[in-house]
């Protein structure tokens, strides 16, 4: 229901009353489940993190288990695919929305995503990479994937992307792949 409101009217239109209208229930019904809009959007973000992790897991399951770089790339592809398939969730999860950062479910969901992203990076880099370089490469990977996802969701790339959605995705994934040389293992 939140997806439908965001798609139709934009993120600012989300409210408990708008959800009640969407569901065809009394205006007070959502208040039995959520204290306020912040609680609603926090629960929505948690569900988004879970969906993102499921997409990433599916992508990784399709990657060769003996190819750490391909598995790492699958993490980025899953992250990006989630963003373009679920732009409302993506905006709430990573946008300037007031979420309850003290919510234990949100903290756990963010920790699961962080562990997934770190695990993919660790596999791609190997154990010999110094901590400072690891941190820089992690930031580079996240900046590229997250930046392309944000630009796509916010429709900032419409002028340079092909019209065909499959070609758009191929273009953006090949753009992400250009950072691969930065992730090659350091020779010992």
């Amino acid at each position: 229901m939140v997806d439908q409101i965001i798609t139709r009217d934009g993120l600012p239109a989300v409210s408990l009353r708008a959800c009640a209208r969407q569901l065809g229930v009394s205006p007070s019904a959502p208040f039995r489940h959520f204290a306020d809009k912040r609680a609603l959007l926090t629960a929505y973000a948690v569900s988004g993190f879970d969906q993102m992790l499921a997409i990433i897991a599916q992508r990784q399951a399709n990657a060769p288990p003996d190819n750490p770089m391909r598995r790492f790339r699958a993490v980025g592809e899953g992250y990006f695919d989630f963003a373009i398939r679920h732009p409302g969730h993506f905006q709430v999860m990573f946008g300037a929305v007031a979420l309850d950062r003290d919510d234990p479910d949100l903290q756990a969901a963010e920790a699961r995503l962080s562990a997934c992203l770190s695990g993919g990076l660790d596999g791609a880099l190997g154990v010999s990479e110094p901590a400072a370089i690891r941190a820089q490469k992690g930031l580079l990977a996240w900046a590229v994937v997250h930046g392309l996802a944000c630009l796509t969701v916010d429709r900032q790339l419409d002028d340079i992307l092909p019209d065909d959605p499959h070609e758009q995705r191929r273009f953006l994934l090949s753009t992400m792949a250009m950072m691969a040389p930065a992730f090659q293992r350091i020779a010992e």
Side-chain angles (χ1 to χ4, degrees):
M1 113 200 81
V2 174
D3 283 329
Q4 294 167 343
I5 295 168
I6 292 172
T7 300
R8 185 183 62 234
D9 304 320
L11 185 55
V14 174
S15 69
L16 291 173
R17 294 195 189 284
C19 290
R21 277 191 303 277
Q22 184 73 31
L23 293 170
V25 298
S26 75
S28 63
F31 289 94
R32 293 186 201 116
H33 304 280
F34 303 102
D36 54 23
K37 177 180 178 175
R38 183 176 175 206
L40 169 71
L41 291 177
T42 299
Y44 182 70
V46 169
S47 75
F49 282 110
D50 290 341
Q51 289 177 46
M52 178 184 270
L53 284 166
I55 291 172
I56 291 171
Q58 179 184 31
R59 288 303 216 135
Q60 283 193 304
N62 293 331
D66 60 344
N67 186 334
M69 282 304 293
R70 185 61 195 99
R71 293 183 62 73
F72 177 59
R73 188 170 160 194
V75 172
E77 290 173 0
Y79 189 104
F80 181 78
D81 283 345
F82 170 82
I84 59 173
R85 287 186 202 164
H86 304 282
H89 267 109
F90 190 80
Q91 289 173 322
V92 170
M93 292 160 58
F94 298 109
V97 175
L99 300 177
D100 180 0
R101 296 287 170 197
D102 295 326
D103 181 88
D105 292 335
L106 180 62
Q107 290 174 349
E110 289 174 329
R112 286 190 300 274
L113 179 62
S114 180
C116 174
L117 299 177
S118 295
L121 181 65
D122 290 346
L125 295 180
V127 294
S128 63
E129 196 82 46
I133 300 297
R134 239 181 222 294
Q136 289 175 314
K137 288 182 177 184
L139 179 59
L140 173 64
W142 188 49
V144 169
V145 174
H146 185 77
L148 286 173
C150 286
L151 290 168
T152 302
V153 167
D154 292 343
R155 303 188 58 97
Q156 298 297 309
L157 301 177
D158 286 357
D159 291 345
I160 63 169
L161 290 177
D163 291 333
D164 180 321
H166 295 293
E167 289 301 314
Q168 288 177 5
R169 184 175 179 282
R170 187 184 340 258
F171 176 85
L172 292 165
L173 292 179
S174 67
T175 301
M176 286 190 297
M178 288 177 170
M179 73 176 156
F183 290 89
Q184 300 304 312
R185 294 177 194 254
I186 292 177
E188 296 185 283

